[in-house]
Amino acid sequence: RLDGLEGCRNLRRLWCYENEIESLEGATCLSDLRELWCQANRIRSLQPLQGMVSLQVLAVSGNPLRRVADLEPLSFLPALRDLSCDDKHFAACELCDSPGYYEAVVNHLG
């Protein structure tokens, strides 16, 4: 979990990769966040990101996201333009091999 971010409300970029983070719940207070780089953690849900309307870049490679449905919360992010679930520096999320993955990404970013 990301804790202690309440005093960082104006934060625009957050790099928190390889920290064994299991939840993004603590990031919900970052309403101005534009970029979130959280690769190689233990994040299973993107649900806490739903209210982050300023988020433009999201990197989640190397997290145990398994189903295309795990991307559904991204449909509430109107500014999102760059999503990375498969990065050459980190393992791909399992959902990248799921049927409908590419269509889901296009729908959420389109």
Side-chain angles (χ1 to χ4, degrees):
R1 180 178 158 100
L2 291 169
D3 288 323
L5 297 173
E6 297 80 17
C8 304
R9 296 195 189 281
N10 295 325
L11 192 67
R12 302 251 174 153
R13 287 187 190 101
L14 178 60
W15 287 277
C16 55
Y17 53 86
E18 296 181 331
N19 280 289
E20 299 183 11
I21 296 166
E22 294 183 0
S23 173
L24 294 170
E25 285 181 39
T28 57
C29 65
L30 304 174
S31 58
D32 287 338
L33 194 68
R34 306 278 194 278
E35 299 179 16
L36 178 57
W37 304 82
C38 55
Q39 305 98 316
N41 281 292
R42 297 178 182 174
I43 298 164
R44 295 181 182 278
S45 173
L46 301 176
Q47 198 75 28
L49 302 180
Q50 276 188 328
M52 301 179 85
V53 296
S54 298
L55 193 64
Q56 298 172 1
V57 177
L58 177 61
V60 293
S61 299
N63 282 289
L65 298 168
R66 294 186 170 88
R67 303 171 301 129
V68 172
D70 293 336
L71 298 177
E72 187 60 35
L74 304 183
S75 62
F76 296 95
L77 305 177
L80 189 66
R81 60 177 168 68
D82 188 351
L83 171 65
S84 175
C85 295
D86 185 3
D87 182 312
K88 66 181 179 181
H89 302 290
F90 301 95
C93 295
E94 288 180 37
L95 66 85
C96 294
D97 295 326
S98 300
Y101 165 70
Y102 291 105
E103 292 84 358
V105 170
V106 169
N107 285 338
H108 293 307
L109 296 179

